[in-house]
Amino acid sequence: MTQDMTPVALAGPEHEPFGFPMQRDCPFHPPARYETLRAERPIVPVRVPDGQVAWLVTRYADVRALLTDPRVSSDRTHPNLPLTESVTPQTRRNIAEVGRSLIGLDRAEHGPQRRMLITEFTLRRAQELRPHIQQTVDRAIDAMLAGPQPADLVDALAVPVPSATVTKLLGMPYEDRELIERAANAQLRQSVPAQERQETSAELHAYVDRLISAKEANPTDDVLGRLIRRNRQTPLFDHEMLVGLTMLLLVAGFETTASMIALGSAWLLSNERERAAIVADPAAAGPAVEELLRYFSVVDALPRIATDDIEIGGVRIRAGDGILISFASANWDDAAFADAATVDIGRNARHHVAFGYGIHQCIGQNLAREELQIVFRTLFTRVPTLRLVGDVAGLPFKNDSNIYGVDRVPVTW
Ligand code: HEM
């Protein structure tokens, strides 16, 4: 039977919605409440930090259904968009600006933009970057081994590998990576004061603005330069949209991959059998990476807006209601992955939704897979004696970030 109610109607004291984001009990697991919700109230009202109430979607089947439903919009300018952090009006404007490219667009506008970019993100393109990624990983490990012990795997590997890859991809000087690393981290962390987040965001914006102007004047042979050339033939992006798209690629491509390297390495260092399997058979890294992507689901949940009434999972979502799609909960749904709470690097987890699903499914997924496979394979093969300093549960996990991760992974060898 359908519960005919808007999430706002449920906001009274007798029906106070759960707060969102929800707390994790175990640092490697999504919030435990997701499990109860999947079983009992798979689509439930939650209150996000700015006080708004939205529908949280927790089951795999419902998540995939809504991500392919044309009545579900990604409009980043909609006032009801349920953001999972407290934001200033300026941050809302920044989110809206980035949303003018790809991630915030619906079908009609999204399709042409995505088609113009997709040739840059094919499997073949990602494979062409393999030698560059391998060299970056080897150099990062050389530098770590030459330095003092204990070393921090986040500093030594998790940050430099994605930042070298994304700067190479976009044709940015590698020397400029420090700003990207700082700005991406500040933008995603709720513990960073609003003023500082704003300043780093403005600094990154000014930098990207100059970079795009230089490439517009003289298109280089890289993703951005080639996009600018294609855009001259079929104009789709104005200058500000190119700036927004570049900011999106930098932030989306950096912190997510960095978090997966850090969490995946910490987990593999605590799990001898799986580590040995990857070293013994390099082909094992492929499925292992899929399983770790599923298990960690570093992007827990993203917002959407209903543009029409939708009946799903026993509730009626009204036009204009905010929706939070939980990729992390979907990836832990036993209906889609047998014994989902257990890591099984031998299983086929390719149908996970850690990269999203539907039209916005991650454009950088081939690249992220290459980076993760090369890092795990190379690190544990080259440094077989690598071990964590201290207990994995004692690591400083990022509980204040929109992208889950860990700040430091101290290791010795
Ligand atoms: C482990 C690494 C990564 C994870 C877990 C991840 C996750 C995601 C997710 C969940 C989405 C869906 C967003 C939505 O539905 O609203 C997405 C979209 C996107 N990702 Fe990734 N991502 C990763 C790496 C990358 C990389 C390396 C790049 C680029 C260099 C990238 C660029 C993008 C872009 C541009 C979109 C928007 C696509 C669109 O709207 O058409 N991501 N990513």
Side-chain angles (χ1 to χ4, degrees), residues 88 90-91 94 186 192-203:
T88 60
Q90 182 57 44
T91 327
N94 294 349
V192 174
Q195 171 81 7
E196 190 184 328
R197 293 171 85 181
Q198 189 42 45
E199 280 166 13
T200 46
S201 170
E203 206 185 330

Side-chain angles (χ1 to χ4, degrees), residues 79-126:
N80 291 1
L81 189 79
L83 298 176
T84 55
E85 55 183 317
S86 324
V87 286
T88 60
Q90 182 57 44
T91 327
R92 271 212 179 247
R93 282 196 288 278
N94 294 349
I95 292 171
E97 187 192 355
V98 168
R100 286 183 68 211
S101 309
L102 286 181
I103 199 146
L105 301 181
D106 295 332
R107 266 151 225 278
E109 288 179 285
H110 176 267
Q113 282 199 8
R114 177 109 178 181
R115 281 192 291 279
M116 204 190 256
L117 260 178
I118 199 73
T119 48
E120 301 291 347
F121 291 91
T122 58
L123 180 60
R124 193 172 58 84
R125 277 296 162 106

Side-chain angles (χ1 to χ4, degrees), residues 33 63 69 87 106 247 264 326 373:
R33 182 169 283 144
V63 161
D69 191 322
V87 286
D106 295 332
M247 304 267 285
S326 175
Q373 291 176 21

Side-chain angles (χ1 to χ4, degrees), residues 76 102-103 110 114 121 166 169 248-249 252-253 256-257 260 293 298-299 302 304 327 354-356 359-364 367-368 372:
R76 292 290 195 268
L102 286 181
I103 199 146
H110 176 267
R114 177 109 178 181
F121 291 91
V166 85
L169 183 80
L248 169 66
L249 287 167
T256 44
T257 318
M260 272 306 302
L293 281 161
V298 293
V299 181
L302 285 175
R304 295 289 196 270
F327 305 107
F355 288 125
I359 62 168
H360 293 285
Q361 196 178 48
C362 182
I363 204 167
L367 191 59
L372 294 171

Side-chain angles (χ1 to χ4, degrees), residues 114 121-123 126-127 129-130 133 137 161 165 253 256-257 260-261 282 285-294 348-356 361-377:
R114 177 109 178 181
F121 291 91
T122 58
L123 180 60
Q127 287 170 345
L129 277 168
R130 240 181 225 170
I133 301 169
V137 171
V161 172
T165 309
T256 44
T257 318
M260 272 306 302
I261 295 175
V289 161
E290 297 311 314
E291 176 65 347
L292 292 173
L293 281 161
R294 177 193 74 79
N348 177 5
R350 267 297 270 230
H351 56 298
H352 66 71
V353 289
F355 288 125
Q361 196 178 48
C362 182
I363 204 167
Q365 58 186 286
N366 293 317
L367 191 59
R369 290 191 167 105
E370 286 295 334
E371 291 179 67
L372 294 171
Q373 291 176 21
I374 293 174
V375 165
F376 296 143
R377 233 185 253 139

